[in-house]
Amino acid sequence: MKLAQRVGRIQPSPTLAITAKANALRAEGRDIISFGAGEPDFDTPANIREAAIRSIRDGFTRYTPVGGIPELKDAIIEKLRRDNGLAYGRSEIVVSCGAKHVLYNLAQALFEEGDEVIVPSPYWVSYPDIVLLAGAAPVIFETREADGFKVTPDRLEEVITGQTKALILNSPSNPTGATYTFDELKAIADVIVKKDIVVISDEIYEKILYDGFPFSSIAMVGEAVKRRSVVVNGVSKAYAMTGWRIGYAAGPEDIVSAMTKIQSQNTSNPTSISQKAAVEALNGDQSAVGEMVEAFAQRRDYIVASLCGIAGISCFNPEGAFYVFPDVSALYGKTYKGSVITGSASFAEYLLDVANIAVVSGAAFGSDAHIRLSYATSMENIREGIERIGNAVKKLG
Ligand code: PMP
Ligand code: GLU
């Protein structure tokens, strides 16, 4: 069958692919430790699960309003007010089936052929492909480790052209963990306003921050940038709710209304039961979030220190999210039994073959010098996994 050309323009999500591969190898009996999936290893807190069970018992099982139930929109409005000091009305909020779906609807609503969308690298794997599916061109903006993997305003201004429609910002970042301060965002906001482009602010890791780093959203800088901002967030990461598929956007009414119109012709609405669970996540007891973040913080400290202890690996210290993105390029050119490590994909393959360790190649995130490890896995797995990586590196000649 001749498929549409758009299918050939994109690749299957590499982060989901590595997870599927690790699971398949486990099913074959291999003792795989996976640092692949970016998914909290904790259960969804009990109060949230109970809210969902209650909604089933109450028969809350029908179609809902396309953009989300008013109760959930109000919980999101209250969250944005309480946590970020941002004011939105119901017509400026849309709820979708995960932040990935939000970004997809947003791209469909905003982008078309001829548009350029600035995607700073290292980037989350799905941004370029979501832009491509909308017919627009992702423009990869390479950030430097020396700049803390952050966009700087002067370099940003240089890459903006007459075709530039938007910038995608992700703070805390997947895969680097880099997180912008308010002042850094203010300087970027000045460029956004001056050049009159949209900023898509993916804040899905907002709650996962370390060492007291305060979270700032670019929309908090002021009204002029807020009018050009679409804030994207969801419950997957903060509340260990990846499978429930609830994400949301807050932004200008015309954009939100276009996203809602598109959603009415794709999923109709996000799942009724999950929406009730998300109300409880946002309005209910928040103590589980802090407990999870504390566990992630201990793991981060351990994984960064132990990776840095392996000769040939250097590791940026993430301020947020639950990934490390070590530079392993000093190992390229080394060999094992005659095969050469040529780059991040070949090193990831080597770790899987020789050490039963699943990681994602940095190339999937736009940086071939690195690999990504998710530390949303137990301390026991992390200890054993890093030891295996160290031993595998020692075998390279
Ligand atoms: N943005 C980033 C940066 C992510 O890492 C993820 C991970 N899944 C998402 C968005 C999408 O999250 P979800 O669809 O589960 O809400
Ligand atoms: N965002 C997570 C990751 O980067 C989950 C998988 C995905 O949606 O890409 O691993």
Side-chain angles (χ1 to χ4, degrees), residues 38 97-101 103 124 127 170 174 202 204-205 236-237 242 245-247 323:
C97 308
K100 191 184 271 183
H101 186 215
L103 290 162
W124 177 45
Y127 297 144
N170 175 214
N174 174 5
D202 182 343
I204 194 94
Y205 296 101
S236 285
K237 313 292 171 173
T242 46
R245 312 308 303 128
I246 294 289
Y323 308 99

Side-chain angles (χ1 to χ4, degrees), residues 21-361:
K21 190 165 179 187
N23 288 340
L25 291 173
R26 266 194 210 115
E28 285 170 16
R30 294 248 314 258
D31 170 26
I32 303 289
I33 294 181
S34 181
F35 294 109
E39 165 165 52
D41 55 320
F42 302 102
D43 287 333
T44 304
N47 60 316
I48 299 173
R49 285 184 280 158
E50 284 307 320
I53 292 165
R54 238 182 354 259
S55 78
I56 296 174
R57 290 216 177 95
D58 293 348
F60 192 71
T61 53
R62 299 180 187 273
Y63 292 134
T64 74
V66 171
I69 53 175
E71 192 187 356
L72 178 53
K73 286 194 176 184
D74 288 348
I76 292 165
I77 289 167
E78 174 55 19
K79 180 259 165 230
L80 289 161
R81 190 200 59 75
R82 180 180 69 223
D83 295 352
N84 314 110
L86 292 170
Y88 289 98
R90 281 188 191 163
S91 60
E92 296 169 302
I93 305 288
V94 57
V95 184
S96 303
C97 308
K100 191 184 271 183
H101 186 215
V102 170
L103 290 162
Y104 183 85
N105 285 342
L106 178 55
Q108 294 295 316
L110 271 186
F111 308 144
E112 58 197 348
E113 207 156 312
D115 288 340
E116 293 176 357
V117 181
I118 301 173
V119 180
S121 76
Y123 47 75
W124 177 45
V125 293
S126 292
Y127 297 144
D129 285 6
I130 287 173
V131 170
L132 286 168
L133 283 170
V139 173
I140 306 304
F141 175 115
E142 270 184 50
T143 65
R144 297 179 282 233
E145 194 157 342
D147 292 331
F149 289 119
K150 288 177 196 176
V151 170
T152 51
D154 45 335
R155 289 186 63 220
L156 174 63
E157 203 161 340
E158 279 167 26
V159 294
I160 294 175
T161 71
Q163 271 65 53
T164 305
K165 193 78 188 260
L167 162 73
I168 303 183
L169 263 193
N170 175 214
S171 172
S173 150
N174 174 5
T176 64
T179 306
Y180 289 82
T181 64
F182 182 84
D183 288 344
E184 288 164 345
L185 291 170
K186 193 169 182 298
I188 293 171
D190 288 344
V191 180
I192 300 290
V193 172
K194 178 172 162 197
K195 295 288 183 176
D196 195 19
I197 64 169
V198 172
V199 59
I200 297 172
S201 182
D202 182 343
E203 305 178 359
I204 194 94
Y205 296 101
E206 169 189 15
K207 296 288 170 203
I208 304 169
L209 276 167
Y210 309 117
D211 308 324
F213 200 104
F215 176 78
S216 302
S217 165
I218 193 161
M220 288 159 55
V221 168
E223 268 310 307
V225 72
K226 182 169 176 260
R227 274 200 298 278
R228 293 171 176 82
S229 303
V230 182
V231 169
V232 178
N233 207 329
V235 294
S236 285
K237 313 292 171 173
Y239 302 98
M241 289 178 73
T242 46
W244 300 77
R245 312 308 303 128
I246 294 289
Y248 57 86
E253 194 171 333
D254 55 342
I255 300 179
V256 164
S257 142
M259 292 165 73
T260 310
K261 185 178 183 183
I262 285 168
Q263 181 153 293
S264 79
Q265 296 293 13
N266 58 54
T267 64
S268 298
N269 59 264
T271 308
S272 59
I273 299 154
S274 294
Q275 290 188 66
K276 286 284 188 180
V279 169
E280 176 61 22
L282 295 173
N283 286 349
D285 180 12
Q286 302 292 304
S287 56
V289 180
E291 286 161 23
M292 291 190 268
V293 173
E294 202 168 298
F296 287 138
Q298 282 172 14
R299 297 168 186 181
R300 179 204 65 163
D301 291 348
Y302 180 82
I303 202 166
V304 170
S306 57
L307 280 169
C308 287
I310 300 174
I313 299 185
S314 68
C315 193
F316 177 79
N317 194 30
E319 285 128 2
F322 40 60
Y323 308 99
V324 271
F325 201 58
D327 185 329
V328 293
S329 59
L331 303 172
Y332 300 168
K334 292 188 182 276
T335 57
Y336 177 69
K337 292 188 178 166
S339 350
V340 185
I341 305 292
T342 53
S344 61
S346 108
F347 184 58
E349 213 170 294
Y350 170 72
L351 289 179
L352 194 56
D353 290 347
V354 171
N356 282 335
I357 294 292
V359 302
V360 191
S361 74

